[in-house]
Amino acid sequence: MDMEQILMTYYENNAKKLHKMVDKILRKFYEIPDKDKDDFYSLANEVFADVLRRYDHSKDFDVFLYSCLCNKIASEIKRIYREKRKADRMSVSIDMPIGDDEDITIGDMIADKFTVEKELLERDEEGYSRKMLLYLSRLSSLQKKALKLSTAGYLPNEIKEELHISEKQYTDCFSAIRSYRNVSVLL
């Protein structure tokens, strides 16, 4: 069989024979979802072109192509799994501590429905958790007043007017109220 006949045999009917050979290899050795087979068909086209260049008629073309496809597909699957393992090694547990503080984890830093304001609204001072009491102890009396007004629904301008503070004082109050250093005790 000459090269043109080989090419026609493998590529007639949308490369049906080549695809059948790839499917046979994948079924025999690996479980690959149908959606991923196109990647292996593309790989098979590259292998086919290489085999066609290297074929010397000393052995059967089908056997030579099949062995080359098996090797290339096996190498590709190893590469895919190696990448997957590499990604798994790079993943980080949600329970991993952050920084020097062993008590705070990545999971603690993920946003949730907890807010200081909600905690203050739902409970009175006797019902505050130990963490909330510690948090409040870190705030100045002005910051506590600003926080209470905010939780009561006062708008920023109303808070500034009620407490007789400037824009800068208001900003400084709420920066402290929301600072990580203070809020971290709640996590």
Side-chain angles (χ1 to χ4, degrees), residues 14-31:
N14 291 325
K16 185 175 182 177
K17 186 171 182 178
L18 184 62
H19 288 190
K20 278 180 114 175
M21 190 176 281
V22 170
D23 290 342
K24 181 179 178 183
I25 293 167
L26 292 174
R27 259 194 324 274
K28 185 174 183 180
F29 300 110
Y30 313 100
E31 289 186 35

Side-chain angles (χ1 to χ4, degrees), residues 12-134:
E12 67 185 354
N13 296 328
N14 291 325
K16 185 175 182 177
K17 186 171 182 178
L18 184 62
H19 288 190
K20 278 180 114 175
M21 190 176 281
V22 170
D23 290 342
K24 181 179 178 183
I25 293 167
L26 292 174
R27 259 194 324 274
K28 185 174 183 180
F29 300 110
Y30 313 100
E31 289 186 35
I32 303 294
D34 287 340
K35 65 182 174 118
D36 296 332
K37 285 185 179 177
D38 283 341
D39 294 335
F40 289 98
Y41 296 151
S42 295
L43 184 68
N45 287 326
E46 293 172 24
V47 171
F48 184 84
D50 181 55
V51 167
L52 207 52
R53 268 190 311 265
R54 294 185 309 143
Y55 183 58
D56 63 3
H57 299 282
S58 64
K59 37 187 133 160
D60 183 58
F61 182 83
D62 293 343
V63 172
F64 183 52
L65 176 61
Y66 185 83
S67 66
C68 290
L69 280 172
C70 282
N71 290 336
K72 190 65 172 184
I73 288 171
S75 295
E76 181 64 13
I77 289 175
K78 284 177 191 172
R79 185 193 66 74
I80 290 168
Y81 283 121
R82 193 174 305 121
E83 289 296 316
K84 183 182 180 301
R85 284 192 308 273
K86 188 166 129 184
D88 287 345
R89 281 193 309 266
M90 295 174 69
S91 60
V92 177
S93 169
I94 197 165
D95 296 321
M96 183 176 170
I98 295 175
D100 296 334
D101 191 350
E102 296 291 319
D103 295 333
I104 300 174
T105 66
I106 291 173
D108 294 331
M109 302 310 297
I110 295 174
D112 65 8
K113 294 179 181 174
F114 173 83
T115 63
V116 173
E117 290 86 356
K118 184 178 175 186
E119 178 85 2
L120 289 172
L121 275 175
E122 290 178 352
R123 296 184 170 87
D124 55 6
E125 282 191 49
E126 293 81 35
Y128 291 158
S129 66
R130 181 185 57 79
K131 288 181 178 184
M132 179 57 81
L133 292 171
L134 180 58

Side-chain angles (χ1 to χ4, degrees), residues 142-156:
L142 180 63
Q143 292 163 353
K144 288 178 198 173
K145 289 176 189 174
L147 179 59
K148 286 184 182 181
L149 290 172
S150 176
T151 58
Y154 282 66
L155 297 173

